[in-house]
Amino acid sequence: GLLVNTYRARLDHPKKLEQSLAVTGSARRRIRSDQAIWRIRVTGSGEDTKKAFSVLKAGVDRVTQFLKSRKFSDVEISMSAISSEPKYAKDRHGNVTSELVGYILERGFTISSNNVEAIAKSAPEVTELIEEGHEIISCLPEYYYTKISDLKIEMIGDASKDARSRADQIVTKAGCEITEVRTARMGVLQITRPFSTDVSDSGIYDTATIEKDVTAVVALTFGIN
């Protein structure tokens, strides 16, 4: 937005006017994510830990086989430790009782790769493992851009140029000239889905899409006469 503030000097200097022009500049770029993270949880349940582990192992082995067939390397795949929790029976009202009926074991996979296309393609295909009867939960992939710090510097520069261009147009029409930059306030980056108009005071970082729009805003105040 554009806002012109005029401040009158003291009464003993009636001809002296101190004027300032506040201008907001913005810049937007389309980027493509260069890093993806995909998480898979495998569970195994059974009446005792031995049977639960057997089910879990079958699921873990199948997920490992699946990831290898999609050409993910050992460096890109990490596995968490196995967690265990007891499973209790429920009464006819659906309330959990103190009767122990088995155990649930869980192990997580994290696939981190700069081959974002491979993860985007593989994530929907993991449903075939669920159809085989394995207890698997596949989370939505998260997509990131690793050079965001360098991009931020460039975009703040672009937004500042936009603000200066707007200011030049205003002062030219008004027959004035810019004397100095008095204040500068940089807004946080908004990293959103393409064509989104979402804005947050703390900044947005949407990880759901490979392609993203990055928006930078700079508010400058110029001295004019």
Side-chain angles (χ1 to χ4, degrees):
L2 307 176
L3 177 64
V4 179
N5 293 323
T6 303
Y7 301 94
R8 290 192 175 276
R10 296 177 181 176
L11 292 177
D12 55 343
H13 295 285
K15 294 182 180 180
K16 183 178 179 181
L17 295 177
E18 182 180 353
Q19 297 179 316
S20 64
L21 174 65
V23 183
T24 298
S26 64
R28 174 173 286 205
R29 288 193 193 180
R30 177 68 53 82
I31 61 171
R32 186 173 180 81
S33 301
D34 58 6
Q35 185 73 23
I37 296 176
W38 177 28
R39 294 180 174 86
I40 302 172
R41 299 203 312 272
V42 185
T43 60
S45 54
E47 59 189 35
D48 55 43
T49 54
K50 184 177 180 179
K51 290 183 178 179
F53 179 77
S54 178
V55 175
L56 176 69
K57 185 178 184 303
V60 168
D61 290 347
R62 184 67 181 90
V63 170
T64 301
Q65 180 189 41
F66 173 86
L67 294 175
K68 292 295 184 182
S69 71
R70 266 60 179 181
K71 308 303 181 184
F72 292 108
S73 66
D74 292 338
V75 176
E76 295 173 313
I77 304 169
S78 63
M79 284 190 287
S80 69
I82 298 174
S83 63
S84 173
E85 66 176 75
K87 182 178 181 180
Y88 296 98
K90 294 182 179 180
D91 61 22
R92 58 192 180 92
H93 300 294
N95 300 314
V96 177
T97 68
S98 59
E99 181 186 356
L100 181 65
V101 293
Y103 294 87
I104 301 174
L105 305 184
E106 180 176 296
R107 191 166 201 182
F109 285 78
T110 299
I111 303 92
S112 179
S113 175
N114 56 17
N115 190 343
V116 294
E117 290 80 7
I119 286 185
K121 180 181 179 182
S122 299
E125 295 175 348
V126 80
T127 53
E128 68 185 54
L129 279 62
I130 300 173
E131 292 171 356
E132 293 173 8
H134 299 288
E135 300 175 18
I136 296 170
I137 298 175
S138 174
C139 301
L140 291 175
E142 300 169 8
Y143 302 103
Y144 298 92
Y145 184 70
T146 60
K147 304 180 184 67
I148 203 70
S149 296
D150 295 336
L151 180 64
K152 181 178 181 179
I153 295 172
E154 295 177 12
M155 293 196 63
I156 286 176
D158 291 345
S160 297
K161 291 178 183 177
D162 181 56
R164 179 58 191 254
S165 177
R166 290 168 180 253
D168 286 339
Q169 292 178 22
I170 294 171
V171 298
T172 298
K173 291 179 180 179
C176 304
E177 63 178 4
I178 292 174
T179 60
E180 62 187 343
V181 177
R182 291 181 177 168
T183 63
R185 184 171 58 84
M186 315 301 176
V188 294
L189 289 187
Q190 310 290 338
I191 306 172
T192 64
R193 301 182 184 212
F195 308 110
S196 172
T197 57
D198 292 342
V199 175
S200 168
D201 290 341
S202 58
I204 295 173
Y205 199 134
D206 192 293
T207 63
T209 57
I210 295 177
E211 290 196 341
K212 310 175 190 299
D213 280 349
V214 183
T215 305
V217 175
V218 173
L220 300 181
T221 301
F222 300 94
I224 60 175
N225 60 29

